[in-house]
Amino acid sequence: EWFGESRKALWVTLAIWVLVPCIDEGIQLTVPGRAGMVTDVLIDMSGGLAGMLLMTLIHRARSVRNVS
């Protein structure tokens, strides 16, 4: 499988991947002198995507090594 053991794990991961940057930027709206930016949400999400892809590559590399 591409990620995790179940579709539920994938959906939970994707929800966190979207919600955390949105909440972070929402909090910034309440801080004087700060602004919540959609571009910052996208940047944060790209970091999350990079992390998920890296973990997938590591998982696959370990799986291949264990099979050999």
Side-chain angles (χ1 to χ4, degrees), residues 5 7 9-10 13-15 23-24 33 38-39 41 47 49 56 58 60 62:
E5 294 297 320
R7 289 180 186 245
L10 176 61
T13 301
L14 290 174
I23 291 168
D24 180 46
V38 174
T39 53
V41 170
L49 178 61
T56 299
I58 291 170
R60 287 187 180 187
R62 286 182 177 171

Side-chain angles (χ1 to χ4, degrees), residues 4-17:
E5 294 297 320
S6 69
R7 289 180 186 245
K8 183 179 178 181
L10 176 61
W11 285 111
V12 169
T13 301
L14 290 174
I16 292 169
W17 177 59

Side-chain angles (χ1 to χ4, degrees), residues 6-7 17 21-22 24 30 35-36 38-40 43-44 51-56 58-59 68:
S6 69
R7 289 180 186 245
W17 177 59
C22 290
D24 180 46
T30 64
V38 174
T39 53
D40 287 347
I43 291 168
D44 291 347
M52 286 192 289
L53 291 174
L54 180 62
M55 289 305 296
T56 299
I58 291 170
H59 176 73
S68 302

Side-chain angles (χ1 to χ4, degrees), residues 1 56-68:
E1 286 184 36
T56 299
L57 290 173
I58 291 170
H59 176 73
R60 287 187 180 187
R62 286 182 177 171
S63 295
V64 168
R65 190 175 348 142
N66 289 337
V67 171
S68 302

Side-chain angles (χ1 to χ4, degrees), residues 23-36:
I23 291 168
D24 180 46
E25 293 303 311
I27 290 169
Q28 288 189 32
L29 292 173
T30 64
V31 178
R34 300 293 306 253

